């Protein structure tokens, strides 16, 4: 069985699907691993390091994709400069493991099904105890939450910690984290380490203890509807609940030096949490870092991939923050992918066992069909 690691072609993508350490583990199990020339360069893993780990370096992209039984990637398949899709390079009947954004871009799933590809989406790994080592969304979100605070600290024209000096006392920065998922919790922990006073908000009351355990104050809104979706993610709420939520958080946004927003709903436009009116009430020099920028943003003023100043407030809409830390992002993602591979490989052969809840949840396409009902529904919505 040939396992191939592709070089990412998406702009600004610096991660790689396997690092030399994980390659070595697979090779020790008697598996052949092929790595495209330069696949790890942007993450500071050289071709020589992969060769030392037992991989074979392949310079011909078409050969690598065309001969692979299992193709490992980070970003969803892209359109190449020659006009062909990376999907067209895959061998019919092969397996693709990658982030696929199947709910946000279900057309890719249809193309994979048409090519008879068995595709497993890292976004769809269930959030269960057994699947923790494979949960790439969580591992990458943690990196994003950490980096968001550093970006905010660099942009804020103030100290984060309280300082008592001969020149006077500096009050600590006030940081408000909106969304207490993995990214939000890491942002809380990082902001606290830097000495800020931190408040956090989430529509899920169950995260209150986690927020408080990290030393932040939990801002709670009581909603008369279910706020937790499958897998523990926040659920999209009604317009009435959104309005009540905005009314509650408005005062906290107004009084904050830094606001970091992290709320996302898979396959949907990000919920708007910070309106223009709220931004207008913030102090000049304040900073907003919007981690939902790629999904339309939690802030009404966000522009994906840009830093803008609106009414004296700096609003930062970063794209693909985990890729800005490619060494550890690749290390964590490679462990996630390798753990999934260990589940799939028995006696040096790949076994797609749909009675396994992890495989069943993660597999988007198989035998020419889209298996996931949510992806089918998303595709139908696009067609309409």
């Amino acid at each position: 069985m040939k396992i191939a690691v592709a070089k990412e072609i998406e702009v600004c993508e610096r991660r790689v699907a396997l690092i030399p350490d994980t390659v070595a583990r697979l090779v020790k199990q008697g598996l052949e691993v092929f790595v495209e020339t330069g696949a790890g360069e942007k993450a500071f893993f050289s071709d020589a390091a992969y060769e030392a780990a037992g991989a074979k370096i392949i310079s011909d992209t078409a050969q690598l994709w065309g001969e692979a039984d299992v193709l490992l990637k980070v970003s969803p398949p892209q359109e190449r400069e020659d006009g062909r899709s990376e999907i067209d390079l895959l061998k019919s009947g092969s397996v693709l493991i990658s982030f696929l954004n199947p709910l946000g871009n279900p057309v890719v799933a249809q193309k994979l099904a048409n090519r008879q590809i068995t595709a497993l989406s890292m976004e769809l790994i269930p959030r269960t105890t057994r699947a923790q080592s494979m949960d790439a969304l969580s591992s990458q979100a943690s990196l994003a939450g950490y980096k968001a605070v550093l970006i905010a600290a660099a942009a804020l024209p103030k100290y984060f910690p309280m300082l008592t000096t001969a020149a006077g006392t500096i009050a600590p920065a006030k940081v408000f984290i909106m969304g207490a998922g993995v990214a939000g919790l890491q942002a809380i922990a990082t902001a606290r380490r830097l000495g800020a006073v931190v408040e956090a908000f989430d529509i899920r009351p169950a995260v209150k203890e986690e927020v408080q355990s990290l030393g932040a104050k939990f801002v709670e809104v009581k909603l008369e509807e279910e706020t937790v979706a499958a897998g523990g993610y926040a659920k999209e709420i009604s317009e009435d609940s959104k309005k009540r939520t905005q009314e509650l958080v408005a005062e906290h946004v107004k009084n904050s030096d830094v606001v970091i927003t992290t709320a996302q709903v898979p396959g949907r436009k990000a919920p708007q949490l910070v309106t223009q009116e709220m931004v207008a009430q913030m102090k000049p020099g304040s900073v907003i870092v919007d981690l939902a920028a790629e999904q339309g943003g939690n802030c009404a003023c966000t522009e994906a991939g840009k830093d803008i100043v609106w009414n004296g407030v700096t609003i930062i809409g970063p794209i693909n923050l985990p890729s800005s830390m490619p060494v550890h992002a690749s290390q964590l993602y490679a462990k996630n992918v390798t753990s999934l591979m260990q589940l799939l490989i028995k006696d040096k052969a790949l076994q797609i066992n749909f009675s396994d809840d992890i495989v069943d949840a993660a597999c988007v396409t198989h035998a020419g069909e889209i298996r996931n009902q949510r992806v089918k529904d998303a595709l139908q919505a696009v067609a309409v």
Side-chain angles (χ1 to χ4, degrees):
M1 183 171 60
K2 296 180 178 179
I3 300 170
V5 179
K7 181 178 181 179
E8 303 294 329
I9 63 172
E10 183 177 349
V11 177
C12 298
E13 182 55 78
R14 299 171 61 193
R15 293 171 291 181
V16 63
L18 290 182
I19 65 171
D21 283 352
T22 51
V23 166
R25 290 178 210 164
L26 294 172
V27 170
K28 284 180 182 178
Q29 294 176 26
L31 303 170
E32 287 187 283
V33 181
F34 299 81
V35 177
E36 187 172 356
T37 301
E41 276 184 355
K42 292 181 181 178
F44 305 99
F45 300 107
S46 67
D47 289 348
Y50 283 107
E51 285 186 305
K56 296 178 183 178
I57 305 299
I58 305 295
S59 59
D60 188 328
T61 301
Q63 178 190 349
L64 180 94
W65 285 69
E67 295 181 0
D69 297 307
V70 181
L71 196 287
L72 304 179
K73 279 185 94 288
V74 180
S75 296
Q78 307 288 313
E79 296 296 321
R80 291 158 45 88
E81 289 184 357
D82 60 9
R84 296 180 66 191
S85 168
E86 287 185 318
I87 294 173
D88 295 333
L89 299 179
L90 286 163
K91 179 174 67 176
S92 180
S94 62
V95 175
L96 172 66
I97 299 176
S98 178
F99 281 124
L100 295 174
N101 189 23
L103 297 175
N105 188 10
V107 174
V108 169
Q110 185 61 66
K111 290 179 179 178
L112 288 166
N114 294 343
R115 287 281 295 159
Q116 300 287 318
I117 305 300
T118 295
L120 287 92
S121 173
M122 296 304 290
E123 291 99 331
L124 298 183
I125 295 291
R127 280 194 162 172
T128 60
T129 301
R130 181 166 163 263
Q132 275 185 338
S133 63
M134 310 168 204
D135 187 357
L137 272 184
S138 291
S139 73
Q140 303 304 295
S142 180
L143 291 154
Y146 168 81
K147 192 61 177 283
V149 175
L150 301 188
I151 290 171
L156 187 70
K158 298 181 178 181
Y159 275 121
F160 257 45
M162 182 179 78
L163 294 175
T164 302
T165 74
T169 299
I170 302 294
K174 295 179 180 179
V175 177
F176 186 37
I177 312 291
M178 304 184 75
V182 175
L185 292 172
Q186 184 61 260
I188 291 168
T190 305
R192 289 286 296 141
R193 289 190 199 106
L194 290 178
V197 172
V198 183
E199 294 182 323
F201 162 79
D202 198 290
I203 60 173
R204 297 165 294 178
V207 302
K208 179 177 181 178
E209 289 186 10
E210 291 180 270
V211 167
Q212 292 175 331
S213 71
L214 293 172
K217 177 184 176 183
F218 186 65
V219 176
E220 188 171 5
V221 57
K222 297 188 183 297
L223 301 176
E224 296 177 359
E225 64 177 281
E226 182 58 55
T227 57
V228 182
Y233 295 97
K235 184 179 180 182
E236 188 168 19
I237 55 177
S238 66
E239 290 302 317
D240 181 61
S241 292
K242 287 178 183 177
K243 184 178 179 181
R244 289 180 57 195
T245 297
Q246 289 178 348
E247 289 172 354
L248 173 76
V249 304
E251 194 66 20
H252 297 273
V253 170
K254 174 184 175 182
N255 295 327
S256 297
D257 298 300
V258 169
V259 174
I260 296 176
T261 65
T262 70
Q264 300 180 55
V265 179
R268 303 283 185 88
K269 188 178 185 298
Q272 188 179 114
L273 304 178
V274 181
T275 63
Q276 283 191 356
E277 290 77 15
M278 293 183 197
V279 178
Q281 294 296 314
M282 295 179 74
K283 298 183 291 290
S286 300
V287 174
I288 297 173
V289 180
D290 191 340
L291 292 186
E294 288 179 271
Q295 284 193 341
N298 295 141
C299 175
C301 305
T302 298
E303 293 185 34
K306 296 183 179 180
D307 299 359
I308 66 170
V309 177
W310 195 90
N311 201 41
V313 176
T314 300
I315 301 148
I316 302 170
I319 292 175
N320 195 2
L321 269 187
S323 184
S324 69
M325 294 181 288
V327 175
H328 284 149
S330 298
Q331 178 184 325
L332 295 174
Y333 183 77
K335 174 62 189 300
N336 298 143
V337 170
T338 303
S339 295
L340 179 58
M341 291 286 291
Q342 303 291 354
L343 179 67
L344 298 173
I345 297 173
K346 308 293 181 186
D347 300 322
K348 300 181 185 179
L350 201 69
Q351 297 181 15
I352 306 296
N353 178 13
F354 293 123
S355 64
D356 186 291
D357 65 307
I358 297 174
V359 178
D360 184 54
C363 188
V364 179
T365 63
H366 179 70
E369 295 182 352
I370 296 176
R371 297 188 70 260
N372 187 287
Q373 187 59 48
R374 287 192 298 160
V375 177
K376 287 182 181 179
D377 294 343
L379 184 64
Q380 189 173 17
V382 170
V384 172

